[in-house]
């Protein structure tokens, strides 16, 4: 850890100590998701912005789960990965081949890859800004105002590449009053976190500022074979400032400047089995995919670094009849990563990438009469990346140099129309035009390049009925769209210049939202059916020259996905909140036939019977929070007890044929299952925490001490798994999920 990195936590600790002795000036603004009215004994009404409007979650006619900041605090959550299993039919795993990279799946639709030439299937929006790559999506969860997980395609309001859903994150805004929030935590595997947010008034009621700094580091939970040294550690910094200008009652402007820095040790657990080409050359081969993957090969010299500055400007103007919003954002990143992929030095790759994106959204919202409201706008997105990769395989070197460009613009509109008393018709549409270009200077003299454009209209229509104030039923149809593109890792002229087409979904959903028992119980249920077309499928195929494999994407198949979801919240007594969610998904490919080399011969393989990736049949979660007021002398406070259990049924992590698939017989060769090492076992994740929260003084300052444990059952296994090439398989590797971890967290706010 560098000198600057060691100073920051010390400075934060000193700041917290000084603030502890300072009289409190202001309480930090309550989170938006908790600012709604509530009854004395009922469940708090949660306000969401899932449809670019402020509305109760109980009157929003889509399947959405709201994660409140207090839930993250109780679970000692550090990043987006801690939401794994917290919402029905949602998976969030780490992609260890890239920096701060998340693999996210909603309702059985996912795309697990780190490359910037591929678009995610789930949209991550932070403060109204779409993050265009999977790198940078592993977000810190300290300065959070609200988190909403929207399930199903959200193309009308959130755009392309949201065919399975959106995770909508809003951070706190400057309060305009002097206040702060500090936190430090210590946990197993040398995990340390120090995080702070300070609000400062600059010009009273006109200009306010918020400064933030988040630091986390740890040694990792893998063990190096032979030495026992902990591997897979990281050092993360996220810091910046927000400035809120409010010169009048009808205008505000919020400017956020920030930077994310990550230095990490990129390791992968070994999954190679007998029969893999690399197996005879590895010190260990044939281990299981539960506990053995935590033992990694030495392969010294690996490193990873990621730097990503960003700027966002949001402006809002209330013109009376219409409210106008502008969101302008620029993000860039620079990565340098040298990694051995569990081969003990047989396959090394150094990847250097630069990326930037610019986006601009203009939208207006208003009402026409008492029964019609709308949101409409324009959107523009532009990005460019360059990847330079040097690969060394059995001593043979190769270099790849790829530049990709993407441009997209769209127009959209969304409306609610109360056509009868308590009956609303809602809908809208979005027209999107995409253009992408791929440039590779090394595949031929003078280089090669290709470009392609696509346009798509994605409509939505829905109807909801509220027979009482406590009950709503709704039905909807929507279309989602993920842009086509080029294979950024194509190693031949054909694969680098042949585009793959967009994929689409038609999603049908019916749902019920209800409250009863004097608003002590909330039950929301949704059933869905998804027709998934032209699926963009990633395949790794062998080459006869270094690097001896390439990853390409083709439009390989269609799929039918159906399921049901339920969110339940119960407040049986004051101080006690129980939450539960259940998701069931049934998915099946259809007409999934692709060509692959097998023994040097091109054969057709029928994958129609294999499972979709990251699509567990069952996700289940239950949690409880009990708050007990206590008085210790002159100190008033609360003891909070929290426990949660999450269950995930098994799921596959890559489309790759079982190595034992018979290659005899005519085409197509029927593949009965994916390689079994790519299947995650059932997960039983148990977490618990105990917190003591007490008042520091009469002005509202509070302190908190929390003891927590995650994965108490020490349930071990893979987060992601991968086999390289097929017939023959070269080798395999995996990323392991976090084992049992426990620690303590101290917090203070004023």
């Amino acid at each position: 850890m560098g000198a600057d990195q060691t100073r920051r936590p010390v400075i934060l600790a000193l700041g917290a100590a000084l603030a502890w002795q300072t009289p409190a000036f202001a309480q930090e603004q309550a989170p938006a998701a908790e600012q709604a009215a509530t009854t004395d004994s009922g469940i708090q009404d949660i306000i969401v912005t899932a449809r670019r409007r402020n509305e109760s979650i109980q009157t929003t006619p889509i399947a959405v789960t709201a994660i409140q900041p207090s839930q993250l605090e109780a679970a000692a959550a550090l990043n987006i990965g801690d939401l794994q299993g917290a919402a029905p039919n949602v998976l969030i795993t780490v992609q260890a081949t890239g920096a701060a990279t998340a693999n996210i799946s909603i309702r059985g639709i996912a795309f697990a890859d780190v490359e910037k030439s591929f678009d995610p299937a789930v949209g991550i929006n932070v403060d109204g800004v779409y993050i265009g790559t999977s790198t940078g999506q592993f977000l810190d969860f300290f300065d959070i105002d609200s988190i909403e997980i929207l399930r199903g395609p959200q193309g009308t309001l959130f755009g392309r590449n949201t065919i399975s859903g959106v995770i909508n994150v809003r951070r706190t805004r400057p309060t305009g009053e002097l206040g702060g929030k500090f936190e430090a935590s210590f946990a197993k595997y040398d995990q340390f976190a120090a995080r702070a947010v300070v609000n400062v008034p600059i010009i009273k009621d006109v200009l306010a500022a918020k400064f933030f700094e988040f630091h986390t580091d740890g040694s990792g939970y893998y063990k190096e074979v032979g030495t026992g040294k902990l591997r897979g550690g990281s050092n993360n910094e996220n810091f910046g400032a927000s400035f809120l200008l409010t010169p009048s009652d009808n205008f505000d402007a919020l400017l956020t400047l920030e930077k994310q820095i990550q230095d990490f040790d990129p390791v992968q657990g070994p999954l190679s089995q007998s029969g893999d080409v690399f197996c005879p050359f590895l010190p260990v081969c044939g281990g299981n995919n539960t506990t053995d993957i935590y033992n990694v090969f030495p392969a010294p010299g690996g490193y990873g670094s990621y730097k990503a500055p960003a700027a966002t400007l949001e402006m809002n103007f209330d013109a009376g009849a219409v409210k106008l919003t502008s969101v302008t954002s620029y993000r860039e990143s620079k990565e340098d990563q040298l990694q051995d992929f569990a081969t003990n030095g047989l396959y090394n790759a150094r990847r250097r990438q630069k990326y930037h994106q610019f986006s601009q959204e203009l939208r207006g919202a208003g009402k026409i009469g008492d029964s019609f409201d709308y949101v409409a706008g324009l959107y523009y997105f532009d990005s460019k990346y360059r990847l330079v990769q040097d690969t060394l395989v059995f001593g043979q070197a190769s270099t790849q140099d790829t530049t990709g460009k993407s441009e997209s613009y769209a127009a959209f509109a969304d409306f609610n129309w109360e056509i009868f008393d308590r009956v609303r018709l809602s809908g809208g549409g979005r027209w999107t035009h995409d253009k992408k270009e791929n440039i590779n200077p090394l595949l031929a003299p003078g280089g090669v390049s290709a470009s392609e454009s696509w346009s798509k209209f994605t409509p939505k229509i829905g109807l909801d009925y509220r027979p009482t104030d406590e009950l709503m039923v709704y039905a909807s149809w929507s279309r989602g769209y993920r842009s086509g593109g080029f294979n950024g890792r194509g190693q031949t002229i054909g694969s680098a210049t042949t585009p793959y087409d967009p994929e689409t979904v038609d999603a049908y959903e019916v749902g019920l939202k209800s409250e009863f028992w004097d608003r002590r119980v909330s039950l929301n249920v949704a059933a869905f059916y998804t027709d998934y077309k032209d699926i963009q499928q990633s395949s790794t195929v062998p080459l006869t020259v270094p690097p001896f494999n390439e990853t390409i994407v083709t439009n390989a198949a269609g799929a039918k996905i159906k399921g049901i979801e339920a969110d339940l919240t119960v407040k049986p007594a004051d101080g006690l909140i129980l939450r539960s969610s259940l998701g069931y998904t049934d998915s099946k490919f259809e007409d999934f036939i692709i060509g692959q080399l097998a023994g040097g011969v091109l054969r057709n393989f029928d994958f129609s019977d294999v499972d979709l990736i990251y699509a567990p049949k069952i996700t289940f979660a239950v949690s409880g929070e009990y708050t007990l007021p206590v008085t210790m002398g002159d100190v008033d406070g609360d003891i909070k007890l929290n426990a949660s259990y999450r269950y995930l049924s098994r799921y596959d992590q890559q489309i790759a044929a079982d190595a034992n698939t018979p290659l005899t017989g005519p085409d197509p060769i029927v593949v009965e299952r994916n390689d079994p090492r790519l299947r995650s076992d059932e997960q039983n994740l148990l977490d618990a925490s105990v917190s003591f929260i007490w008042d520091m003084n009469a002005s509202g300052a509070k302190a908190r001490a929390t003891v927590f444990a995650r994965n108490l059952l020490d349930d071990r296994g893979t987060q992601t798994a991968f086999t390289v090439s097929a017939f023959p398989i070269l080798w395999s590797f995996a990323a392991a999920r976090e084992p049992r971890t426990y620690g303590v967290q101290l917090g203070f706010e004023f």
Side-chain angles (χ1 to χ4, degrees):
M1 185 184 296
D4 290 342
Q5 295 164 338
T6 56
R7 290 193 193 105
R8 286 193 181 108
V10 174
I11 292 172
L12 293 179
L14 289 174
L18 291 173
W20 192 289
Q21 302 298 326
T22 304
F25 292 92
Q27 189 76 1
E28 190 169 18
Q29 187 180 37
E34 299 179 359
Q35 288 181 13
T38 182
T39 65
D40 292 337
S41 58
I43 297 169
Q44 190 173 51
D45 195 15
I46 298 175
I47 301 301
V48 296
T49 59
R51 298 194 302 158
R52 304 292 198 188
R53 308 165 173 87
N54 292 328
E55 54 189 345
S56 168
I57 193 172
Q58 294 304 115
T59 60
T60 303
I62 62 174
V64 55
T65 297
I67 309 295
Q68 299 186 33
S70 60
Q71 293 175 254
L72 300 172
E73 183 179 278
L78 295 178
N79 54 53
I80 195 172
D82 293 317
L83 293 181
Q84 169 81 302
N89 293 324
V90 176
L91 290 184
I92 304 174
T93 61
V94 64
Q95 174 60 268
T97 57
T101 303
N103 288 337
I104 306 174
S105 169
I106 298 179
R107 290 182 172 177
I109 298 179
F111 192 84
D113 208 297
V114 69
E115 292 302 339
K116 293 173 175 55
S117 58
F118 307 140
D119 294 317
V122 176
I124 301 291
N125 278 58
V126 180
D127 294 341
V129 176
Y130 166 73
I131 298 178
T133 72
S134 57
T135 52
Q137 290 185 345
F138 233 70
L139 308 170
D140 191 288
F141 270 172
F142 182 64
D143 182 31
I144 297 299
D145 185 48
S146 64
I147 299 173
E148 301 158 11
I149 302 177
L150 289 60
R151 302 185 295 279
Q154 306 295 326
T156 302
L157 288 172
F158 289 92
R160 77 206 218 292
N161 307 334
T162 60
I163 60 171
S164 60
V166 167
I167 298 180
N168 191 29
V169 179
R170 300 290 300 190
R171 294 176 292 190
T172 64
R173 294 163 67 92
T175 63
E177 299 179 304
L178 183 62
K181 184 178 179 181
F182 306 88
E183 182 179 277
S185 63
F186 307 84
K188 191 179 179 182
Y189 303 110
D190 302 319
Q191 294 183 44
F192 170 71
R195 304 184 287 183
V197 175
V198 177
N199 279 283
V200 179
I202 299 178
I203 302 175
K204 183 175 175 59
D205 297 329
V206 175
L207 182 61
K210 179 189 74 173
F211 302 92
F212 57 90
E213 157 73 10
F214 312 145
H215 166 89
T216 60
D217 65 64
S219 350
Y221 45 77
Y222 297 89
K223 286 188 177 181
E224 189 173 89
V225 174
T227 67
K229 176 184 175 182
L230 290 176
R231 296 285 306 277
S234 66
N235 187 94
N236 307 282
E237 304 284 348
N238 193 326
F239 53 91
S242 294
F243 302 92
L244 178 61
L245 176 67
T246 52
S248 64
D249 292 339
N250 63 350
F251 177 80
D252 66 75
L254 176 65
L255 174 65
T256 300
L257 305 173
E258 60 187 307
K259 189 172 186 178
Q260 183 180 5
I261 300 175
Q262 184 182 48
D263 296 303
F264 57 101
D265 176 21
V267 298
Q268 299 279 355
L271 263 188
S272 294
Q273 304 289 333
S274 176
D276 292 358
V277 173
F278 283 17
C279 191
F281 306 97
L282 299 177
V284 178
C285 191
N288 61 48
N289 63 346
T290 52
T291 57
D292 292 340
I293 55 172
Y294 292 82
N295 301 312
V296 300
F297 302 142
Y303 62 84
S305 67
Y306 174 76
K307 298 179 180 178
T312 302
L313 175 62
E314 177 186 326
M315 296 184 291
N316 297 282
F317 176 63
D318 188 347
V322 60
K323 294 181 179 179
L324 301 175
T325 298
S326 168
V327 181
T328 309
S329 176
Y330 177 81
R331 304 176 63 91
E332 65 179 39
S333 64
K334 183 177 180 180
E335 302 168 55
D336 188 356
Q337 186 169 330
L338 175 62
Q339 183 171 7
D340 171 78
F341 294 83
T343 68
N344 201 37
L346 299 180
Y347 185 102
N348 285 296
R350 184 187 179 191
R351 299 157 50 83
R352 287 156 288 166
Q353 292 194 83
K354 291 183 178 180
Y355 170 82
H356 74 255
Q357 70 171 62
F358 170 82
S359 63
Q360 172 65 57
E361 182 172 79
L362 296 171
R363 65 178 184 266
K367 295 188 68 175
I368 301 176
D370 295 329
S371 60
F372 189 92
D373 67 82
Y374 66 90
V375 176
L378 301 172
Y379 179 78
Y380 177 78
F381 178 89
D382 175 84
S383 70
K384 179 181 179 180
Y385 78 92
R386 184 185 179 193
L387 165 66
V388 178
Q389 178 168 315
D390 300 315
T391 306
L392 191 67
V393 187
F394 281 107
Q396 300 188 55
S398 65
T399 298
Q400 177 185 353
D401 188 342
T402 301
T403 297
K405 300 178 182 180
S406 176
E407 184 180 42
S408 177
Y409 47 87
F412 61 91
D414 184 88
F415 70 88
N416 285 321
W417 180 23
E418 189 165 12
I419 53 178
F420 306 110
D421 184 34
R422 295 184 175 270
V423 177
R424 285 187 307 180
L425 178 69
S426 60
R430 188 183 192 103
W431 179 84
T432 303
H433 178 79
D434 289 310
K435 180 180 180 180
K436 291 192 176 182
E437 183 177 2
N438 194 45
I439 304 167
N440 193 313
L442 301 181
L443 290 181
V448 297
S449 65
S451 65
E452 186 62 83
S453 298
W454 304 270
S455 296
K456 193 70 176 178
F457 178 66
T458 50
K460 178 176 183 176
I461 193 73
L463 191 69
D464 65 76
Y465 171 53
R466 303 180 305 282
T468 69
D469 291 340
E470 293 78 29
L471 178 65
M472 181 180 75
V473 291
Y474 68 91
S476 67
W477 165 77
S478 59
R479 176 166 292 164
Y481 154 76
R482 184 150 65 120
S483 172
F486 288 91
N487 293 294
R489 286 179 294 192
Q491 300 291 300
T492 66
I493 294 176
S495 62
T497 60
T498 302
Y500 53 88
D501 290 327
E503 60 181 24
T504 61
V505 297
D506 285 290
Y508 306 85
E509 179 175 315
V510 294
L512 174 148
K513 297 195 173 186
S514 63
E515 295 177 312
F516 45 93
W517 193 21
D518 292 332
R519 299 190 67 240
R520 287 182 175 271
V521 177
S522 168
L523 175 63
N524 299 336
V525 180
F528 62 91
Y529 175 81
T530 303
D531 187 4
Y532 192 10
K533 302 173 183 177
D534 298 320
I535 297 174
Q536 296 169 7
Q537 181 56 52
S538 176
S539 301
T540 303
V541 298
L543 296 175
T544 57
V545 296
F548 299 111
N549 70 91
E550 66 173 349
T551 300
I552 62 173
V553 173
T554 57
N555 297 94
K560 306 294 186 184
I561 307 172
K562 56 188 176 182
I564 192 167
E565 302 163 340
D567 278 303
L568 173 68
T569 303
V570 182
K571 188 176 181 181
D574 292 344
L576 178 62
I577 293 286
L578 304 176
R579 299 182 178 93
S580 183
S581 67
L582 174 66
Y584 172 79
T585 300
D586 180 42
S587 57
K588 183 176 177 56
F589 281 117
E590 54 182 20
D591 300 325
F592 188 179
I593 299 176
I594 59 176
Q596 288 187 343
L597 288 173
V601 178
L602 182 63
R603 303 292 302 273
N604 289 317
F605 290 84
D606 186 348
F607 284 83
S608 301
D609 292 334
V610 306
D611 290 344
L612 276 69
I613 62 172
Y614 298 98
K617 282 191 175 296
I618 298 174
T619 60
F620 172 73
V622 60
S623 65
E625 176 184 300
Y626 180 61
T627 302
L628 177 66
V630 294
T631 300
M632 299 182 181
D634 296 331
V635 177
D636 293 326
D638 294 318
I639 292 178
K640 282 192 175 182
L641 307 176
N642 287 271
S644 68
Y645 168 74
R646 293 167 289 157
Y647 170 81
L648 305 172
S649 62
R650 62 169 182 78
Y651 55 89
D652 288 1
Q653 299 156 325
Q654 183 194 359
I655 301 296
D658 186 347
N660 295 317
T661 300
L663 300 180
T664 58
D667 286 355
I669 297 170
V670 176
V671 179
E672 295 183 353
R673 64 174 185 175
N674 291 314
D675 192 308
R677 76 188 93 174
L678 303 172
R679 175 166 292 176
S680 168
D681 59 330
E682 294 181 342
Q683 297 181 38
N684 294 275
L685 306 175
L686 180 63
D687 306 325
S689 70
V690 179
S691 299
F692 179 45
I693 305 167
W694 68 97
D695 298 327
M696 297 294 297
N697 54 41
S699 299
K702 289 182 177 294
R704 175 176 58 86
T706 299
V707 178
F708 65 88
R710 294 193 295 267
N711 192 7
L712 272 165
L713 302 178
D714 201 24
D715 191 314
R716 299 191 176 214
T718 58
Q719 289 198 76
T720 56
F722 204 79
T723 60
V724 181
S725 190
F727 308 114
I729 293 173
L730 300 181
W731 82 97
S732 304
F733 57 90
R737 54 183 177 261
E738 185 184 51
R740 179 169 49 230
T741 303
Y742 45 82
V744 61
Q745 194 174 81
L746 305 174
F748 170 71
E749 61 182 283
F750 69 99

